[in-house]
Amino acid sequence: MTKPTGPSRRTFLKTTAAATLAAPTIVSPSIFAKGDTPAPSDRVVVGSIGVGDLGRRHHLNNKLLVNPRIQVAAVCDVDRNHRDLAANDVLTKSGKMPGVYKDFRDLCDRKDIDAVFVVTPDHWHALVSIYAMETGKDVYCEKPLTLNIEEGKKMVEVARRYGAVFQTGSQQRSEGPFRQAVELIRNGKIGKVQRVDTYIGNIDAGKWQAPITPPPELDWNFWLGPAPYADYFPNRCHYQFRWFSDYSGGKMTDWGAHHNDITQWALEKDQSGPVKVRCEQAQFAPDGPHDVALEFDIAYTYADGVELHCHSQGKNGIKFTGTDGWVFVSRSQKEFDAHDKALLTWQAGDNDVNLPRTETKHPHHDNFLDCIASRQRPICDVEIGHRSATVCHLGNIAIRLGRELQWDPAKEEFVGDDQANQLVGKPMRAPWHL
Amino acid sequence: MATVTELAGDLCSGDQVKTYQAQQALARLSGEIGASGKEAEKAEAAKALAAVLAGVKPAKDNRGEATVDSIKSVNSANELCRALSLLAGEAEVAVLAECLKNIDLRETARWCLARMTCQGAADALVEAYKTATGTEYRVGLINALGRKQGSNVLETLKLAAADKEPEVALAAVEALANTPDAALDAVISSVESGSSSRRAARVARARVRLGSTLLRAGDDAGAKKVFTAVAGADVDEAPKKAAAAAVGG
């Protein structure tokens, strides 16, 4: 970042934040919400790592390049077309040519970059995020945060060691309906929560393609990185990687990282997790190629007896059932429902539990920027993202092993099951390692 | 119901669907027999898989003529090793150790041994490192040893920290940083980084990681010594700040 010449807004934020460190993280509204254009010295200089569909469309174009608090200084992708198109977006919209990189380490080694957005396939999240934090960067990393539990533990360790501000891209925490539902629950409006049902969707079996030579613009070996070597075919790579267990955890982690994350938030388990998990049913593609479960029902139990049931079928959303009522929440405000109906219009008062909120057009990103200035932990800090991803990984491990498993959320290991503990982590293909 | 040997044969068939179906069947079987109390069935399945792995023909020395066979061998070994990784024990180490000597199979055998938890797996990796060639593979062996414990592992990592190949030495110090021994700071900080600022930064980060390892192990004095040294050294800004913050905190 360029050095400010006088007291800047970011300096002010850092100072005031230090004085109020114990205060709750309620940033309402964001200090930049009035459309002010910050001085260049106040802008967060970012690098965007992984600029395929999600990285380029959702983050770069819809969030970063439209945010006056951000200057995009670099883009990075192992696909030359992705990075060149992204660079063109930056040049067109900001008038400045960004640095263009294939190797994330070259981008992270730049001293003028404050923060990175990690929007790579999941099997790269941990390696890129850890390197970024170790080079002094703050990190916004897409969900699901990790490919396995061991990666998340390392990410939390490194974030704390380097004092990195880390936002997990589980943006539902910054969206109104979910906050409203969680505030209802945290304020006891449905009594004691007994059961949560998350409905996260299913996938199809996919289609085999004959292995072919990777296109010249794609460095396939780099794309695979820590994953075991595999022959290239297009359906294995961009976007579709989600349905191959070497790169992701299927729908369980893709949408579980959203709805199970909100469950953890509502149950106040952000530093913990369930203690028991079992797969009630799972269906796989009979002939492939997708090797993650297509359909599943997973049952979790928390130490206080609350049950979480994660389903692939059913209307997308979350239903919380308590002793005195229930709440259903999804991304559609129209689908927000509750019993009794009076809960639909209930608002938390000053004496109620109020959850953090950032009331801007892009609240999850702005919360990250606010926290970069204040050095507070964002609304979906690295440990929160890790613990929510863990819930999903536990589900996948239970599917894989087909037996009930006991989980110790404090030690983050399975109780009395060596084989399950082997699945907490996964070796990486040389030369990569955590 | 297909036997493990038949499934292993399907894994090596080169047919996408057959291979996939065998993967799924073996994964299910692995879960069924991986629970406590089914050790005999698990050992039997591992033995059958290892026997098929032992029969995977290595490529001929003439690489040009052997390309197709070589690729098939690699893919077969990949599949077998992955299935084996959650079942294998001491009895399968010898077959995997033999695979470490084959240039086509060594990476996937290394991966399998890295995941295994028996002492023999660590010993095989230590032994392989002594004569291994190729920077990437040697780094892979060191990374695998970073997941293991034992005095022979520690000695190998210390030896590797002085390796003339910088990537091997750096991998070794990053592995050593997970061992709670303050004396290792001298080993880590002695790694030559030459004119490479990235290498120098990796050494500094490994030292900070060692400090954190010591803290977690309860060696506050050792941790403080390491952090203080890094905070006062002419090193990359990020680890320097992290070390200073740790000392201050």
Side-chain angles (χ1 to χ4, degrees):
Chain A
M1 176 180 304
T2 46
K3 297 283 181 196
T5 51
S8 70
R9 200 166 285 195
R10 290 190 68 204
T11 311
F12 168 77
L13 275 172
K14 280 185 181 177
T15 311
T16 51
T20 58
L21 205 56
T25 320
I26 298 174
V27 186
S28 176
S30 168
I31 194 157
F32 291 110
K34 295 174 186 169
D36 304 5
T37 300
S41 58
D42 290 333
R43 289 185 199 160
V44 177
V45 180
V46 309
S48 197
I49 302 172
V51 282
D53 178 59
L54 191 69
R56 181 174 167 230
R57 175 183 49 81
H58 176 72
H59 285 284
L60 184 64
N61 282 304
N62 292 348
K63 307 287 185 189
L64 309 185
L65 288 171
V66 297
N67 194 323
R69 303 169 65 185
I70 288 176
Q71 180 196 334
V72 180
V75 296
C76 174
D77 203 293
V78 298
D79 186 314
R80 188 183 61 220
N81 288 355
H82 286 184
R83 61 180 182 264
D84 288 354
L85 286 165
N88 185 58
D89 292 340
V90 178
L91 179 63
T92 304
K93 293 184 179 174
S94 74
K96 289 181 183 169
M97 178 63 84
V100 185
Y101 302 93
K102 180 167 87 172
D103 189 327
F104 65 94
R105 291 168 294 193
D106 293 329
L107 184 153
C108 290
D109 285 346
R110 275 179 57 168
K111 303 292 184 196
D112 62 326
I113 290 177
D114 302 314
V116 296
F117 282 74
V118 181
V119 197
T120 61
D122 308 354
H123 65 293
W124 271 109
H125 285 177
L127 284 171
V128 175
S129 295
I130 286 172
Y131 192 87
M133 289 189 282
E134 288 183 335
T135 50
K137 310 294 184 271
D138 295 322
V139 175
Y140 182 119
C141 181
E142 257 303 339
K143 47 55 62 180
L145 192 61
T146 55
L147 186 64
N148 59 58
I149 297 166
E150 181 185 33
E151 290 181 347
K153 290 169 70 173
K154 290 278 182 192
M155 289 165 87
V156 175
E157 276 176 31
V158 174
R160 301 298 179 248
R161 193 181 301 153
Y162 283 82
V165 170
F166 195 113
Q167 177 82 297
T168 308
S170 298
Q171 82 282 359
Q172 288 184 171
R173 289 203 179 216
S174 296
E175 292 174 356
F178 293 99
R179 186 177 58 245
Q180 188 183 350
V182 174
E183 282 183 344
L184 280 170
I185 290 153
R186 291 275 195 96
N187 284 290
K189 297 299 173 186
I190 62 167
K192 183 185 180 314
V193 177
Q194 295 179 310
R195 176 179 169 123
V196 185
D197 290 273
T198 53
Y199 303 94
I200 62 177
N202 57 351
I203 60 165
D204 64 23
K207 286 183 180 163
W208 284 107
Q209 295 171 318
I212 58 171
T213 305
E217 66 270 18
L218 174 67
D219 186 335
W220 177 237
N221 192 46
F222 207 160
W223 187 95
L224 285 171
Y229 187 80
D231 293 332
Y232 172 81
F233 58 87
N235 280 356
R236 190 191 284 280
C237 188
H238 298 322
Y239 187 82
Q240 302 294 338
F241 70 84
R242 288 167 170 78
W243 325 127
F244 292 87
S245 61
D246 278 336
Y247 324 119
S248 185
K251 211 68 164 181
M252 172 57 78
T253 55
D254 187 37
W255 266 87
H258 284 305
H259 289 351
N260 294 335
D261 176 63
I262 296 299
T263 302
Q264 290 265 111
W265 195 26
L267 300 179
E268 298 185 70
K269 301 293 183 189
D270 279 341
Q271 276 76 45
S272 181
V275 295
K276 205 159 57 179
V277 57
R278 71 177 184 280
C279 169
E280 298 194 318
Q281 70 89 17
Q283 305 292 325
F284 287 87
D287 300 328
H290 296 158
D291 71 341
V292 295
L294 310 182
E295 308 270 355
F296 48 81
D297 288 289
I298 309 297
Y300 303 86
T301 307
Y302 286 86
D304 55 7
V306 176
E307 288 190 9
L308 163 63
H309 294 262
C310 181
H311 315 276
S312 56
Q313 294 285 3
K315 186 166 77 172
N316 187 290
I318 313 168
K319 185 176 183 183
F320 295 95
T321 305
T323 49
D324 302 338
W326 54 263
V327 179
F328 178 84
V329 61
S330 73
R331 288 192 181 175
S332 167
Q333 187 73 52
K334 286 183 204 161
E335 291 176 349
F336 195 87
D337 201 0
H339 178 75
D340 72 43
K341 298 294 180 193
L343 296 178
L344 297 175
T345 52
W346 180 85
Q347 296 286 329
D350 290 345
N351 294 323
D352 293 315
V353 174
N354 278 268
L355 295 167
R357 65 193 68 205
T358 303
E359 292 176 346
T360 64
K361 194 174 176 189
H362 306 295
H364 209 59
H365 288 68
D366 281 326
N367 172 250
F368 177 53
L369 299 177
D370 289 340
C371 290
I372 287 175
S374 70
R375 307 316 293 173
Q376 290 190 333
R377 291 181 188 170
I379 193 164
C380 201
D381 170 58
V382 61
E383 180 165 15
I384 294 171
H386 158 54
R387 294 288 189 163
S388 295
T390 294
V391 175
C392 306
H393 297 317
L394 293 178
N396 274 337
I397 294 170
I399 290 173
R400 172 80 196 267
L401 298 183
R403 57 180 178 265
E404 183 169 284
L405 302 166
Q406 313 289 324
W407 175 249
D408 182 336
K411 291 182 180 170
E412 297 194 73
E413 61 186 37
F414 290 99
V415 180
D417 195 319
D418 293 340
Q419 192 183 46
N421 277 321
Q422 278 183 287
L423 295 170
V424 166
K426 189 175 182 181
M428 292 181 166
R429 188 166 63 108
W432 302 102
H433 70 100
L434 282 177
Chain B
M1 191 174 160
T3 65
V4 173
T5 305
E6 287 165 346
L7 291 173
D10 285 349
L11 275 185
C12 306
S13 66
D15 178 285
Q16 287 176 319
V17 173
K18 265 190 183 178
T19 301
Y20 169 85
Q21 290 171 336
Q23 284 169 347
Q24 290 290 325
L26 282 164
R28 272 196 304 276
L29 179 72
S30 173
E32 283 165 18
I33 62 178
S36 167
K38 296 192 175 175
E39 286 76 11
E41 291 167 67
K42 187 177 167 187
E44 197 60 34
K47 186 179 173 184
L49 281 172
V52 178
L53 179 62
V56 173
K57 290 179 184 166
K60 295 172 188 171
D61 285 342
N62 186 330
R63 309 299 300 171
E65 288 179 11
T67 302
V68 174
D69 282 347
S70 168
I71 289 168
K72 199 173 166 190
S73 298
V74 171
N75 286 346
S76 299
N78 267 333
E79 299 299 340
L80 289 165
C81 284
R82 294 178 67 176
L84 199 52
S85 69
L86 293 175
L87 295 171
E90 293 286 1
E92 287 68 46
V93 169
V95 170
L96 289 160
E98 202 56 33
C99 291
L100 291 176
K101 297 173 188 166
N102 182 310
I103 198 156
D104 290 320
L105 311 186
R106 63 183 188 174
E107 167 57 18
T108 192
R110 177 203 69 82
W111 187 95
C112 184
L113 288 161
R115 176 172 254 183
M116 290 164 59
T117 53
C118 62
Q119 184 56 42
D123 296 343
L125 292 163
V126 165
E127 205 52 38
Y129 177 76
K130 291 176 184 169
T131 54
T133 55
T135 304
E136 197 163 291
Y137 177 59
R138 297 179 75 224
V139 167
L141 287 171
I142 294 301
N143 293 345
L145 287 170
R147 302 170 70 89
K148 308 292 181 190
Q149 293 186 336
S151 57
N152 58 343
V153 170
L154 193 57
E155 287 312 308
T156 302
L157 292 176
K158 283 183 186 172
L159 192 69
D163 198 277
K164 63 183 177 187
E165 289 190 86
E167 288 301 316
V168 174
L170 288 166
V173 298
E174 283 163 355
L176 285 169
N178 297 324
T179 302
D181 177 358
L184 289 173
D185 190 42
V187 179
I188 295 172
S189 54
S190 69
V191 167
E192 295 286 338
S193 50
S195 58
S196 167
S197 57
R198 182 177 285 171
R199 285 182 203 151
R202 279 178 70 180
V203 172
R205 292 197 290 263
R207 296 179 73 191
V208 172
R209 184 186 290 193
L210 175 66
S212 299
T213 302
L214 293 166
L215 265 188
R216 272 200 307 279
D219 184 357
D220 292 1
K224 189 173 181 185
K225 195 174 164 189
V226 173
F227 285 134
T228 303
V230 178
D234 180 19
V235 296
D236 191 60
E237 188 187 337
K240 192 179 173 85
K241 277 173 69 177
V247 173

